[in-house]
Amino acid sequence: MSAKHHTITALVQNEAGTINRLVSLFRRRGFSLASFNAGDCEDPGFSRLTFIVDGDDATISQCLKQLDKLIDVVECEDLPKESSVQRELALIRVEPTEDQRQSLYNIVNEFIARTPRSTPTCVVVEQVADVYDIERLIEALRPFNITEIVRTGVVAMKVEG
Amino acid sequence: MNRSGAKIVMEALVREGVDTIFGYPGGVVLPLYDEMLNWPQVRHVLVRHEQCAAHMADGYARATGKVGVCLATSGPGATNLVTGIATAIMDGIPMVAITGNVNSWAIGKDAFQETDIQGITIPITKHNYLVTDINELPQVLAEAFYLANSGRKGPVLVDIPKDVFTAMSEAPFPDTIVRRGYKPAGAPARAEIEVAARLISEAQRPVIIAGAGILHAQAMAELLYLAETTKIPVINSLLGLGSFPRDHELSLGMMGMHGEAAGTLAVQEADLVIGLGNRFDDRLTGNTGGFAPKAKILHFDLDPSEIGKTVNPVAWVLGDLKLSLGELNKLIQPSEHPAWMAQIRVWQTQFPLIVPEGRFPTRTVLKGLNDVTHGNAIVATDVGQHQMWTAQFYKMKKPMSWLSSGGLGTMGYGFPAAMGAKFARPDEEVWAVVGDGGFQMTLQELQTAVEYNCNVKICLINNGFLGMVRQWQELFYDNRHSHVAMGSPDFCKLADAYGVKFFRCSRLEDLEATLKGASDHVGPVLCEFVVEMEENVFPMVGPGATNSALVMDPDLIPSEEAHQLGAFETTHAGAVKS
Ligand SMILES: Cc1ncc(C[n+]2csc(CCOP(=O)(O)OP(=O)(O)O)c2C)c(N)n1
């Protein structure tokens, strides 16, 4: 993950078209969107979104202003790592050989990941962590024949102080 | 009281003080068109193409500051509005566009004349709605009008399925509108005003660029006070024209790609550029790398996203311009900049706008229009060379009397926009200045003008070319004409067919009589001016060039006096190609 990655969160009022309008802003104005995630939040009728955006400071500042200008956006901000919790969930399906199973479980334990489902042919590894840890886990699992990866994109929460 | 969705729409219009709407019927809006018959206080103007309904609503809004309303059916009716909505968002024009859609249960099934107009217009509206619950309709309509005409103004679209027009609801209109995500700019921060006042007091060579934000905020008096107290000269962006009196000694007219030389050069030499409600767009700044190279930029706007979008100001004031300038004016001290003004006068004498004599160029006509109307008419332009010349030569005396598609540059805009203005302000003389190209994009509205006796004067500049494109081909493509020669119908017969009064003028000798004749006639007039074919607009900053590389009119012979005073080095037309 390059130093240019920024984590932007936005609280938005949810109506028909809201998500479309937010995401289309990134395309229309040429902001580079690496991932985004949307979900319900503490206020009914509102959602919180997390965007991972690449760009220099001027671009990110313009991106925040453009987001804020949308009528649906109540507030948005660029969250620094230090004052936030940033997590992503990944599901990684591997199809190890019989001999590899034990070392696979060793790695899963080492990473404190979970295996919510395993069958004679495959194991699904689940991890909730920050992006760096997820990417390290994926690298560690490569030898075990990864056949599918699903990631939620980062969700982030500001924690003051 | 239980009432239908159609009735709620009409109630909303009356509540918002809308006296005129521009529209075109179709299947899904039939319930609304039927209901409309019960509301004589709202005049519906039946256009000939929905694009023109949007442009008329736009013209209505620019001439009054009120929200313009247009109405179309689903599918092709709605998509025909798109150009007009895009024109409005670029120039910050308050507009509410109401579209019908197929029944809510049919949405998403490719029903007949279904189109996702909400999705299509997301990037070109300030906000938009698809209303599927009748109980939300009063709230949505009230919000739409509020959003359109507050903060940075803009078009809002409300898409209403047919069954919502016929459903019944008792939901009331809201008394106040609160949206957590919407906080239109208010008073400025004191600290920002203090910095601005200090920068202004320190400047030796200050200049103001006044944009359309002054007009939107109705801050003309505050601007005048600021300029007169500090003796800072004022340049307008294309859309800011009318916000400062052009006959004022401090007015430098328009700047930009075809702006007046003195203003453009002043910005290049200034040590402080004060942008007031303008957005430093590329047609004004030229290459931003070389824009105002010696100046600090101080930017006033109500939209935070405008600050630092294209140029980097050292300081800014966020807030409603009327309030911001009001606060600033309390802190400023009277000042004079005699040396600076003397330099500007040199440029003005050296590089005036000129009208060649002994020929019949477009400039003659537009200068004539200014002379005959004394700048008192409302003027709408189309897009092209004639637009730039009108901006140069038409010295409008009043604000809200200049309508031009500056941001989107929409050909076909001028005539319907002029009609919208005339519907809004029937007592004013209204002219549309259009080219032979652009006029042929929306001339079907002649029939609308006739039916409503919409007394608009059309000044049709017939140069036989898509002039502005021809100019670029001449200057940047070795004069290779590719599809720019433009045939036209016999406009006399055309006017006759529509029953519109017609004048044709092709000589200077007839100019004044023609303009006066058109002006005096009661009812729509088409005035064709057959002008010189290959005339170019100058000064010109070539695309991608910096404003210092301003190219002057080849017909310009700098005065002796200016030469002696030692003036700016500028390029002559031949050099623009390199
Ligand atoms: C809808 C649209 N299509 C194309 C253009 C590109 N364009 C800009 S100016 C121009 C020529 C306009 O010609 P005319 O209306 O005859 O006016 P003139 O320049 O001759 O005054 C064209 C084609 C545009 N601005 N709008």
Side-chain angles (χ1 to χ4, degrees):
Chain A
M1 205 163 148
S2 87
K4 285 167 61 200
H5 268 43
H6 289 253
T7 308
I8 291 178
T9 61
L11 175 67
V12 305
Q13 182 167 345
N14 233 337
E15 289 172 354
T18 299
I19 300 288
N20 192 348
R21 188 175 294 114
L22 267 93
V23 176
S24 112
L25 176 88
F26 286 84
R27 177 194 53 76
R28 172 163 86 90
R29 296 204 180 255
F31 300 126
S32 139
L33 186 58
S35 80
F36 88 96
N37 182 292
D40 290 348
C41 69
E42 68 281 3
D43 280 333
F46 291 78
S47 295
R48 234 176 254 283
L49 283 80
T50 310
F51 301 94
I52 302 297
V53 191
D54 291 343
D56 56 24
D57 289 350
T59 308
I60 298 300
S61 146
Q62 183 59 211
C63 178
L64 285 168
K65 289 175 182 174
Q66 292 294 349
L67 275 174
D68 207 28
K69 190 162 140 178
L70 297 180
I71 311 299
D72 333 61
V73 174
V74 178
E75 58 191 27
C76 62
E77 81 186 290
D78 182 9
L79 291 189
K81 274 237 132 25
E82 313 78 71
S83 51
S84 61
V85 176
Q86 306 202 1
R87 288 291 180 270
E88 181 169 10
L89 184 151
L91 298 175
I92 305 149
R93 185 173 62 213
V94 288
E95 298 186 7
T97 62
E98 220 23 69
D99 320 344
Q100 285 181 316
R101 285 242 166 189
Q102 192 47 53
S103 45
L104 170 68
Y105 283 111
N106 291 344
I107 287 175
V108 167
N109 289 336
E110 185 189 316
F111 277 84
I112 322 179
R114 307 196 317 149
T115 52
R117 174 82 51 102
S118 44
T119 71
T121 51
C122 81
V123 178
V124 175
V125 180
E126 173 196 298
Q127 178 65 311
V128 176
D130 69 20
V131 176
Y132 300 98
D133 281 348
I134 286 188
E135 284 175 0
R136 282 199 312 123
L137 173 62
I138 290 172
E139 283 318 305
L141 293 178
R142 290 241 183 258
F144 301 93
N145 187 18
I146 297 176
T147 55
E148 188 172 335
I149 298 176
V150 183
R151 298 170 65 166
T152 56
V154 172
V155 294
M157 178 183 279
K158 184 173 182 177
V159 186
E160 228 114 17
Chain B
M1 187 191 57
N2 218 16
R3 72 283 201 227
S4 70
K7 196 163 182 184
I8 291 173
V9 172
M10 296 310 297
E11 270 177 28
L13 296 177
V14 171
R15 283 173 60 94
E16 300 293 341
V18 176
D19 51 27
T20 308
I21 63 176
F22 306 92
Y24 206 93
V28 300
V29 287
L30 279 171
L32 180 57
Y33 272 83
D34 186 62
E35 178 63 33
M36 214 180 270
L37 294 174
N38 305 327
W39 298 74
Q41 63 272 58
V42 179
R43 169 174 56 172
H44 174 275
V45 174
L46 177 64
V47 296
R48 290 300 180 274
H49 188 298
E50 291 89 346
Q51 177 185 346
C52 295
H55 290 329
M56 286 183 204
D58 173 314
Y60 178 98
R62 289 192 209 224
T64 57
K66 287 167 47 179
V67 177
V69 179
C70 54
L71 168 62
T73 192
S74 67
T79 55
N80 274 350
L81 292 177
V82 165
T83 302
I85 296 173
T87 303
I89 188 99
M90 283 294 257
D91 293 348
I93 305 307
M95 176 187 290
V96 168
I98 298 171
T99 50
N101 210 331
V102 298
N103 285 312
S104 53
W105 65 83
I107 288 180
K109 302 194 170 60
D110 302 323
F112 177 66
Q113 291 194 330
E114 178 187 356
T115 196
D116 173 19
I117 196 63
Q118 188 190 24
I120 289 172
T121 57
I122 278 176
I124 55 166
T125 47
K126 178 169 174 180
H127 197 61
N128 65 14
Y129 302 85
L130 168 63
V131 186
T132 46
D133 177 354
I134 171 80
N135 294 313
E136 290 174 1
L137 190 57
Q139 171 76 30
V140 164
L141 288 166
E143 247 180 55
F145 277 90
Y146 168 64
L147 292 176
N149 209 14
S150 58
R152 182 171 182 165
K153 302 173 184 194
V156 177
L157 179 133
V158 183
D159 193 26
I160 307 173
K162 184 174 188 180
D163 55 318
V164 174
F165 281 123
T166 49
M168 304 294 282
S169 170
E170 292 187 2
F173 282 91
D175 293 329
T176 51
I177 290 160
V178 188
R179 276 201 68 127
R180 280 177 65 191
Y182 186 65
K183 311 147 215 94
R190 176 81 191 173
E192 291 178 1
I193 291 289
E194 281 170 3
V195 172
R198 183 172 52 73
L199 287 169
I200 290 171
S201 71
E202 287 167 4
Q204 305 292 314
R205 302 185 310 279
V207 64
I208 290 171
I209 301 177
I214 297 285
L215 296 164
H216 291 306
Q218 296 283 309
M220 288 75 79
E222 287 78 3
L223 169 61
L224 188 65
Y225 180 87
L226 170 66
E228 289 188 335
T229 309
T230 57
K231 295 283 187 292
I232 300 181
V234 179
I235 307 169
N236 284 125
S237 65
L238 174 70
L239 291 183
L241 288 172
S243 64
F244 191 76
R246 280 187 94 174
D247 51 5
H248 197 287
E249 55 168 9
L250 289 167
S251 171
L252 305 184
M254 175 182 71
M255 79 165 290
M257 182 172 262
H258 293 295
E260 287 160 64
T264 305
L265 297 176
V267 170
Q268 290 307 90
E269 286 298 304
D271 66 350
L272 180 68
V273 169
I274 308 162
L276 301 180
N278 68 313
R279 56 189 180 86
F280 291 104
D281 95 310
D282 53 283
R283 285 296 191 266
L284 180 130
T285 60
N287 187 327
T288 48
F291 174 73
K294 303 174 183 171
K296 290 177 179 163
I297 295 173
L298 168 62
H299 197 182
F300 286 64
D301 208 279
L302 84 175
D303 178 354
S305 74
E306 285 304 337
I307 309 296
K309 190 178 76 179
T310 62
V311 297
N312 290 317
V314 295
W316 54 84
V317 176
L318 278 174
D320 174 274
L321 268 177
K322 195 175 179 67
L323 301 177
S324 296
L325 293 185
E327 289 302 311
L328 177 70
N329 285 346
K330 291 182 194 160
L331 297 189
I332 51 167
Q333 301 294 328
S335 62
E336 304 268 351
H337 316 277
W340 175 229
M341 283 314 294
Q343 171 64 79
I344 288 172
R345 298 287 176 237
V346 171
W347 290 322
Q348 285 181 318
T349 341
Q350 193 182 16
F351 305 117
L353 291 173
I354 51 168
V355 181
E357 281 165 30
R359 298 159 27 196
F360 195 55
T362 304
R363 280 168 283 178
T364 312
V365 178
L366 297 176
K367 183 160 181 313
L369 179 66
N370 184 60
D371 295 344
V372 166
T373 60
H374 305 289
N376 284 318
I378 296 176
V379 170
T381 74
D382 213 77
V383 170
Q385 292 183 311
H386 65 276
Q387 175 189 32
M388 293 298 117
W389 281 315
T390 313
Q392 291 178 345
F393 288 97
Y394 187 68
K395 317 276 184 207
M396 66 292 289
K397 289 255 171 63
K398 301 176 227 159
M400 323 288 288
S401 56
W402 168 246
L403 292 66
S404 196
S405 168
L408 199 68
T410 308
M411 282 172 71
Y413 169 83
F415 174 40
M419 288 178 63
K422 185 69 188 177
F423 281 118
R425 290 168 62 188
D427 298 336
E428 303 286 331
E429 179 166 345
V430 179
W431 281 83
V433 180
V434 300
D436 44 339
F439 185 52
Q440 291 187 66
M441 287 195 171
T442 48
L443 62 75
Q444 75 282 349
E445 301 305 325
L446 283 170
Q447 182 61 26
T448 316
V450 168
E451 275 175 25
Y452 292 85
N453 196 22
C454 182
N455 186 356
V456 166
K457 319 297 178 195
I458 304 163
C459 169
L460 167 63
I461 304 293
N462 189 350
N463 56 11
F465 277 113
L466 295 170
M468 186 57 95
V469 181
R470 187 207 51 72
Q471 174 169 349
W472 283 47
Q473 291 183 349
E474 176 183 330
L475 297 177
F476 310 116
Y477 293 88
D478 283 334
N479 204 23
R480 282 156 54 87
H481 287 179
S482 178
H483 305 279
V484 287
M486 164 111 326
S488 290
D490 179 334
F491 286 113
C492 178
K493 287 187 185 155
L494 184 90
D496 202 37
Y498 280 107
V500 167
K501 177 83 178 162
F502 180 77
F503 293 90
R504 179 179 284 142
C505 168
S506 48
R507 327 179 291 169
L508 184 58
E509 297 86 304
D510 303 333
L511 178 64
E512 195 181 327
T514 307
L515 287 167
K516 285 204 170 125
S519 179
D520 291 344
H521 178 79
V522 182
V525 178
L526 178 60
C527 249
E528 179 188 12
F529 295 92
V530 183
V531 293
E532 202 169 282
M533 294 181 73
E534 303 197 32
E535 182 187 358
N536 288 334
V537 189
F538 290 106
M540 175 171 195
V541 178
T546 65
N547 282 352
S548 302
L550 187 64
V551 179
M552 298 299 171
D553 196 326
D555 286 337
L556 187 68
I557 303 147
S559 72
E560 277 299 311
E561 183 197 0
H563 260 314
Q564 281 160 11
L565 286 164
F568 211 83
E569 281 302 317
T570 48
T571 331
H572 266 266
V576 79
K577 285 180 202 162
S578 54

